[in-house]
Amino acid sequence: MATCPECDAEIEVDEFDVDKGDQLSCPECGSNLEVVGLSPIELDLAPEDDDDDDLEDDDEVEDGEDDDEEEDEDEEDEGWEE
């Protein structure tokens, strides 16, 4: 058994099924938790995922790539004009 650091709920965790660094959710409050200790099982709040920010960064890169492709096409067109 482990305790949720957010809501103090008892969470049944089999120490043989988890490794340090594994993440799970509290069934009571839904917090994302990380296993920080194995004997006894210790849980801490998992670091926030920045996946949403990464997706926005990817979109910006893709937009920039589109601009480069358009510039390349313009350069090719200029070559034909000479």
Side-chain angles (χ1 to χ4, degrees):
M1 292 296 264
T3 304
C4 174
E6 187 72 20
C7 69
D8 292 326
E10 291 292 321
I11 303 172
E12 189 168 334
V13 180
D14 186 350
E15 64 183 281
F16 299 108
D17 286 341
V18 296
D19 291 317
K20 195 171 184 179
D22 285 354
Q23 294 189 359
L24 50 102
S25 294
C26 174
E28 294 294 321
C29 69
S31 294
N32 291 325
L33 306 173
E34 180 176 3
V35 178
V36 294
L38 294 177
S39 186
I41 297 288
E42 293 180 44
L43 302 174
D44 198 4
L45 292 174
E48 293 294 321
D49 285 342
D50 292 337
D51 289 344
D52 293 340
D53 292 341
D54 291 344
L55 292 175
E56 290 174 11
D57 292 343
D58 291 345
D59 290 343
E60 290 174 9
V61 170
E62 288 175 8
D63 290 343
E65 289 174 359
D66 291 343
D67 292 342
D68 292 342
E69 290 174 9
E70 290 174 10
E71 289 175 13
D72 291 343
E73 291 172 7
D74 292 342
E75 289 173 8
E76 290 174 10
D77 291 341
E78 290 174 10
W80 288 102
E81 292 175 7
E82 291 178 17

